[in-house]
Amino acid sequence: MAEISHPPMEQLQDLEYCIDSNPPWPETVLLAFQNYILMLGSSAFIPALLVPAMGGTDGDKARVMQTLLFVAGIKTLVQALFGTRLPAVVGGSFAYVVPIAYIINDSSLQRISSDHERFIHTMRAIQGALIVASSIQIILGYSQVWGLFSRFFSPLGMAPVVGLLGLGMFQRGFPQLGNCIEIGLPMLLLVIGLTQYLKHVRPFKDVPIFERFPIFICVSFVWIYAIILTASGAYRHKPPHTQHSCRTDQANLISTAPWFKFPYPLQWGPPTFSVGHSFAMMSAVLVSMVESTGAYLAASRLAIATPPPAYVLSRGIGWQGIGVLLDGLFGTGTGSTVLVENVGLLGLTRVGSRRVVQVSAGFMIFFSVLGKFGAVFASIPVPIYAALHCVLFGLVAAVGLSFLQFTNMNSMRNLMITGLSLFLGISIPQFFVQYWDARHYGLVHTNAGWFNAFLNTVFMSPATVGLIIAVFMDNTVEVERSKKDRGMPWWVKFRTFRGDNRNEEFYTLPFNLNRFFPPT
């Protein structure tokens, strides 16, 4: 048998900066700004989707977007300092859309005739549901229950979960890109060209600018191109859907955003609480925990760190619960999760530095307070972001599948579990999505609206469906005979904080806080 030229490797070898090594400050600032630009896609899209349905105006949408950015900056900074300490951006989550749609369509809120009043009361109801639901994450995190559950994980079980973080978001890729093909396709080709074919071209000294700053370069060129198309009247007589996707002057964010606005807790008034709303929101909290866990594993691999031990995962989930609590107090209109696209950016730029993400959190806070400046960047057309998602979501999916190198993929057991969890992880959510309608609560349609929202939310999440199938089968099918095939000999040392001496380097709390919160 020929010698294997590429044996399994614990850490990726061709990244230039790991979690605790930092680029020079000029590079750090530009890389951080790229992270900020990328996360604006979700930050602008979620309010644009939900606020009009709540009865809000363009001005309300701008204020919600500012609040979402401001709180995202706080959550990202706190997570990087005291949570998992991984270079992960925490922002608005689409997992919360279904329970929020259930709240929006509550009959007691729909009876309010004034749009402004309905928006305010709906926002307060969402805030109350987020505040109550955040307790689930806080309890599961700080009680170490989530860490105990993570002991059932293995490389075989986590490969489909992380893979589905990227593969399951295919609808945010080419389908959205195709809404304005003349903008989206050049963006996609330009990103691939710069990062793959021109990455070794270095016009300025030794800095690989095409590989390091692809988003900054590509977005600038294609955005200017889109502005020229809009100004020249290319979309003047196009259908409304095309104009909405392609034009750079349709968002109304710039004109309605205030020059200066400091978001503050309870800015929409006191939250209102409902048992049904809270139970519905808990489903999104559970989904975001699963998705964030997968994103943490991907981020650790792209930052050349060890997989986060159970204690660190629980700590991160606990702080993320506090982040959802902040979402409820400030009124961001949605809950939070780790943004998959920003995890993919670590691999695209080959920079996994924690400092870059910390500086990007500063940009989020700064531009959220200066509303007009943030609104300018938020007016970037969605197809530009969709092109980036095609690359970044695919990269995260590949990182997930890379965990399979630690397993025996000549085993029919492993092939069955991997294939079934990947296929059903895409197929089942797609089945639920095609039946989902904001007013009819989807495939599960009983008289209990909160129950509909709960099940529809869980089964519309590819990563959650993948985890249910993969982890259950991996821990019930020929478990004792398959320890080596599952990759447990490699994985077991990362279960505990002291299982590998590198964990202390990557995950120890700053300011000598480990004296007060000793790892287990």
Side-chain angles (χ1 to χ4, degrees):
M1 182 176 176
E3 182 182 353
I4 298 175
S5 58
H6 301 288
M9 305 187 77
E10 288 190 355
Q11 296 171 313
L12 299 175
Q13 300 299 299
D14 51 355
L15 281 87
E16 296 194 27
Y17 296 96
C18 68
I19 186 171
D20 50 6
S21 63
N22 304 307
W25 272 108
E27 285 187 47
T28 296
V29 172
L30 286 175
L31 288 165
F33 192 67
Q34 282 193 137
N35 270 284
Y36 165 73
I37 291 176
L38 184 59
M39 68 89 59
L40 274 176
S42 299
S43 300
F45 189 77
I46 293 176
L49 179 68
L50 296 176
V51 171
M54 296 161 62
T57 63
D58 288 333
D60 295 324
K61 184 166 61 178
R63 283 185 65 193
V64 172
M65 191 197 77
Q66 282 182 268
T67 305
L68 183 59
L69 277 173
F70 182 81
V71 178
I74 296 174
K75 293 182 294 189
T76 300
L77 189 59
V78 167
Q79 190 65 244
L81 285 173
F82 308 114
T84 59
R85 307 216 69 215
L86 288 165
V89 173
V90 182
S93 171
F94 285 88
Y96 290 79
V97 168
V98 174
I100 289 174
Y102 158 66
I103 295 174
I104 290 172
N105 289 286
D106 189 296
S107 58
S108 63
L109 294 170
Q110 287 295 313
R111 283 195 293 266
I112 301 174
S113 56
S114 168
D115 284 345
H116 178 69
E117 286 297 313
R118 180 160 57 87
F119 167 75
I120 294 296
H121 282 82
T122 304
M123 179 61 79
R124 292 176 181 176
I126 293 170
Q127 288 181 257
L130 285 170
I131 290 171
V132 175
S134 68
S135 62
I136 296 294
Q137 239 175 346
I138 294 171
I139 293 170
L140 291 179
Y142 290 123
S143 68
Q144 296 295 313
V145 170
W146 190 250
L148 292 174
F149 176 68
S150 71
R151 293 176 184 272
F152 292 100
F153 298 166
S154 72
L156 183 69
M158 286 296 99
V161 175
V162 181
L164 286 166
L165 280 180
L167 296 177
M169 295 188 180
F170 64 91
Q171 292 176 325
R172 288 174 57 191
F174 211 88
Q176 288 187 347
L177 181 155
N179 290 333
C180 191
I181 198 75
E182 61 268 32
I183 292 176
L185 190 58
M187 181 68 184
L188 177 61
L189 296 176
L190 191 58
V191 171
I192 295 173
L194 289 186
T195 59
Q196 303 305 311
Y197 294 97
L198 298 178
K199 62 183 178 182
H200 297 301
V201 177
R202 303 189 176 188
F204 304 104
K205 297 182 179 180
D206 295 327
V207 181
I209 61 169
F210 294 143
E211 183 180 59
R212 196 78 82 237
F213 311 112
I215 290 180
F216 189 78
I217 296 171
C218 296
V219 168
S220 298
F221 275 102
V222 179
W223 192 15
I224 292 171
Y225 169 59
I227 291 172
I228 293 172
L229 287 177
T230 301
S232 65
Y235 305 112
R236 191 167 297 149
H237 303 295
K238 297 293 183 180
H241 178 73
T242 301
Q243 294 201 35
H244 179 75
S245 299
C246 300
R247 294 181 69 102
T248 58
D249 57 357
Q250 290 292 301
N252 292 329
L253 288 174
I254 300 174
S255 60
T256 56
W259 280 103
F260 180 86
K261 180 71 177 179
F262 195 89
Y264 55 91
L266 308 183
Q267 59 186 328
W268 312 107
T272 57
F273 299 92
S274 164
V275 174
H277 295 170
S278 300
F279 271 110
M281 198 66 77
M282 286 177 187
S283 63
V285 168
L286 294 173
V287 166
S288 70
M289 287 170 59
V290 173
E291 294 178 349
S292 295
T293 298
Y296 289 139
L297 288 169
S300 67
R301 190 145 177 77
L302 289 170
I304 321 182
T306 55
Y311 169 78
V312 174
L313 274 180
S314 284
R315 191 173 71 193
I317 292 299
W319 276 108
Q320 194 170 316
I322 292 177
V324 176
L325 177 62
L326 292 176
D327 289 323
L329 291 174
F330 279 82
T332 62
T334 187
S336 56
T337 190
V338 176
L339 297 185
V340 178
E341 54 266 43
N342 288 83
V343 173
L345 187 60
L346 303 178
L348 191 69
T349 60
R350 301 173 191 260
V351 176
S353 169
R354 183 189 295 124
R355 178 183 290 174
V356 169
V357 169
Q358 292 170 337
V359 175
S360 73
F363 279 120
M364 296 173 209
I365 296 171
F366 177 76
F367 284 114
S368 67
V369 174
L370 301 178
K372 292 286 186 187
F373 292 96
V376 168
F377 296 110
S379 65
I380 298 172
V382 172
I384 292 179
Y385 285 109
L388 292 170
H389 292 164
C390 289
V391 177
L392 299 173
F393 289 156
L395 182 55
V396 172
V399 170
L401 297 179
S402 74
F403 282 105
L404 293 175
Q405 67 182 303
F406 306 111
T407 69
N408 177 15
M409 291 312 290
N410 291 314
S411 163
M412 286 305 301
R413 170 196 182 274
N414 290 1
L415 290 172
M416 180 66 180
I417 293 173
T418 303
L420 190 65
S421 55
L422 281 173
F423 184 82
L424 292 182
I426 295 174
S427 188
I428 291 176
Q430 181 61 24
F431 178 62
F432 274 74
V433 166
Q434 70 184 14
Y435 282 95
W436 185 73
D437 179 273
R439 293 190 177 275
H440 296 95
Y441 312 123
L443 184 66
V444 181
H445 191 188
T446 67
N447 292 328
W450 65 269
F451 181 75
N452 303 334
F454 194 100
L455 288 186
N456 286 322
T457 300
V458 169
F459 288 103
M460 284 171 64
S461 166
T464 306
V465 174
L467 181 136
I468 292 171
I469 297 170
V471 173
F472 176 79
M473 292 187 67
D474 190 36
N475 286 276
T476 55
V477 178
E478 299 179 348
V479 181
E480 289 302 319
R481 292 176 52 190
S482 306
K483 282 186 178 179
K484 289 185 177 180
D485 290 346
R486 300 166 62 203
M488 293 309 293
W490 173 75
W491 185 265
V492 70
K493 61 185 175 182
F494 303 120
R495 282 182 169 183
T496 61
F497 191 88
R498 305 195 186 282
D500 190 294
N501 56 16
R502 292 170 294 177
N503 290 335
E504 186 172 351
E505 174 190 353
F506 300 138
Y507 301 115
T508 296
L509 291 171
F511 314 123
N512 206 21
L513 289 174
N514 272 52
R515 290 187 307 163
F516 307 102
F517 306 99
T520 56

